[in-house]
Amino acid sequence: PVTGLIIALILALAAPSLAFSALLLLQSDNVNQRTMTARAMQGVDGIADTLDRELRGMLTNLALLASSGWIESEEYDRLHARATEALKGTDMYLIALDSQNQQILNTRVPWGTPLGATSDPKPVEEAIANSQPVVSDLFFGSVARREVFNVVMPIISGDPRVKALMLTRDADKLGSIFQERLPPPGWTYAILDRTGKKVTGNAPAGGAEALSQLCAGEGSGLDAFKVDGASLIAANEKLEPWGWRACVWTSSNQTDASISQRWRNFTIITLAIVGITMLAGGALGQMLAGAI
């Protein structure tokens, strides 16, 4: 029928424009996804680089204190005084340990204060056994009376009484180093130790279990998660050789809603165009048939 032919002709003319619009919409979604991934990787790289630089700076301080000569001469009172002065205002404290993990000095307390064994001997033994620096996991310090972590450097030259030097730091003071390299607005960060325990930063609504899930990925892009009904996307990076992990995440609800809304609008507009086309084609077909 003439009416059917006119409707088919109009739909054939409209189809390429609708297909092109759908392609542009799909391309826009892909660009948004790449932008989101780039922002996430920029954020996690900034956090990881800042932490790595801080840990290596702590190792540099340990190396300088170890090269003072006071360890070999066993002038621990002078080492204590020098370290106290050098570390003033840094929220870091020097600890010297013997082969039995007994503290010889600790700049948290005045020189001569009775000291016991370290609260976390495992990383010290690991550092001595491998002759390599080690960053400990988070633990409760017996002298600090709060959550701390240590950077351990073994003493491998000569045969001094001191077998390892450590810089200890309060976990709640570590967050200040990230103030100039925070992730993009809307993103949240966290630093996890080797066991997956949060050292600093924030956790999602699901707490430690949800944070461990968010920051467990090994990929180099974004990972999507459902946490307590919320849609989250996260990126993380493992710091070698320390074993700690930097992680950033944000809610994808707003982004997903925006994408869904765009496709919903496109579908409604497409159906409206098809409906109007059929009505207009039918009317024109009737007019043409009558004229013929």
Side-chain angles (χ1 to χ4, degrees):
V2 175
T3 300
L5 291 175
I6 292 179
I7 292 175
L9 177 61
I10 297 176
L11 289 177
L13 293 174
S17 298
L18 294 175
F20 183 69
S21 299
L23 182 61
L24 290 179
L25 192 57
L26 183 62
Q27 185 67 22
S28 175
D29 292 343
N30 291 335
V31 170
N32 288 337
Q33 181 65 26
R34 288 195 297 268
T35 301
M36 184 75 72
T37 301
R39 295 182 68 188
M41 299 313 299
Q42 178 185 6
V44 76
D45 286 345
I47 295 295
D49 290 346
T50 300
L51 178 60
D52 183 69
R53 186 168 59 249
E54 187 72 11
L55 295 176
R56 293 187 185 278
M58 294 174 71
L59 276 176
T60 300
N61 287 334
L62 284 173
L64 291 174
L65 292 169
S67 64
S68 64
W70 294 323
I71 292 178
E72 291 76 7
S73 62
E74 298 190 1
E75 296 177 88
Y76 302 129
D77 56 339
R78 297 186 64 185
L79 178 61
H80 185 283
R82 181 69 183 89
T84 300
E85 181 64 26
L87 299 174
K88 183 182 298 184
T90 65
D91 299 319
M92 293 181 283
Y93 304 91
L94 179 70
I95 300 174
L97 301 173
D98 63 15
S99 58
Q100 303 301 317
N101 292 326
Q102 294 292 320
Q103 299 182 66
I104 299 173
L105 66 88
N106 188 329
T107 58
R108 278 189 186 273
V109 294
W111 170 250
T113 302
L115 299 168
T118 179
S119 303
D120 189 26
K122 185 177 179 180
V124 180
E125 295 167 356
E126 181 182 344
I128 294 175
N130 298 327
S131 299
Q132 294 290 336
V134 172
V135 178
S136 76
D137 296 318
L138 200 64
F139 68 97
F140 187 81
S142 59
V143 176
R145 308 303 299 172
R146 65 190 68 185
E147 297 284 342
V148 300
F149 69 93
N150 295 333
V151 175
V152 186
M153 187 183 74
I155 304 298
I156 57 178
S157 60
D159 189 26
R161 178 187 171 194
V162 174
K163 295 302 180 183
L165 285 180
M166 299 192 306
L167 277 182
T168 185
R169 190 167 189 169
D170 299 344
D172 58 3
K173 301 293 180 61
L174 185 62
S176 60
I177 70 173
F178 302 109
Q179 294 306 309
E180 296 182 0
R181 292 294 300 273
L182 290 173
W187 291 79
T188 307
Y189 81 95
I191 300 296
L192 281 67
D193 64 16
R194 294 180 295 180
T195 65
K197 187 175 182 180
K198 181 174 72 71
V199 180
T200 188
N202 297 286
E209 183 177 350
L211 181 62
S212 179
Q213 179 185 358
L214 281 175
C215 302
E218 296 292 341
S220 57
L222 286 177
D223 297 311
F225 301 91
K226 281 284 189 180
V227 178
D228 288 345
S231 297
L232 302 177
I233 49 177
N236 70 93
E237 182 176 333
K238 188 175 182 180
L239 277 76
E240 298 294 350
W242 318 122
W244 283 23
R245 190 176 293 275
C247 179
V248 299
W249 74 90
T250 189
S251 172
S252 63
N253 289 336
Q254 184 174 356
T255 303
D256 293 343
S258 176
I259 293 174
S260 298
Q261 184 63 39
R262 286 201 300 269
W263 280 103
R264 189 179 302 112
N265 292 341
F266 174 76
T267 301
I268 293 173
I269 292 173
T270 300
L271 292 176
I273 291 175
V274 171
I276 293 172
T277 297
M278 295 181 69
L279 291 175
L284 288 174
Q286 292 296 325
M287 292 172 61
L288 182 58
I292 292 174

